[in-house]
Amino acid sequence: MSVTCFIRYQLDPFQLDAFRAYAENWGRIIPRCGGHLVGYFLPSEGTNDVAWGLIGFESLAAYEAYRARLRTDPEGRANFEMARRLRFILREERTFTEVVAGTLSRPALSLSTTDAA
């Protein structure tokens, strides 16, 4: 995964359940269309109207091929239509990033009792 698409959503905070269903649908669709779904993230504490979707690709060309498959996927088209009809997404921004080597998925280290003091 050399490129990650960070999708920032501004949501109607009164329709978070609709966005949750939308994100759950992508959990089936995105991998089928060739994206590496890192995950969707809803607000929990703090700001109540911003959510994130993270999808990885081997390259920008792989992303473009994924988008083409997505446009022809019946379930993907239905999910886009549901979002349009219910209008729970107020704004969507996409940013493409590359990971800094040695920094992705680094687990926390155990703290000994002397370290925690």
Side-chain angles (χ1 to χ4, degrees):
M1 180 171 63
S2 65
V3 175
T4 302
C5 178
F6 278 68
I7 309 169
R8 180 187 185 276
Y9 298 94
Q10 183 179 0
L11 305 176
D12 176 342
F14 299 103
Q15 295 196 62
L16 295 182
D17 287 339
F19 183 82
R20 181 185 305 276
Y22 174 80
E24 288 170 350
N25 292 340
W26 288 129
R28 293 184 304 278
I29 301 163
I30 289 170
R32 181 173 66 233
C33 290
H36 173 94
L37 182 59
V38 177
Y40 273 83
F41 303 86
L42 282 167
S44 177
E45 293 293 326
T47 303
N48 69 349
D49 67 343
V50 175
W52 300 88
L54 283 69
I55 309 167
F57 301 94
E58 289 304 316
S59 65
L60 287 175
Y63 168 75
E64 291 301 331
Y66 155 83
R67 293 287 292 173
R69 286 189 293 275
L70 201 56
R71 284 190 287 274
T72 63
D73 184 89
E75 191 179 6
R77 292 171 59 127
N79 211 34
F80 282 129
E81 174 57 27
M82 186 223 353
R84 188 200 61 75
R85 183 174 28 82
L86 297 179
R87 303 177 66 99
F88 51 84
I89 298 172
L90 306 177
R91 182 176 176 175
E92 182 177 321
E93 302 169 1
R94 292 172 186 267
T95 300
F96 293 86
T97 64
E98 61 184 67
V99 70
V100 174
T103 65
L104 183 64
S105 297
R106 299 287 309 248
L109 300 176
S110 302
L111 296 177
S112 68
T113 55
T114 58
D115 291 337

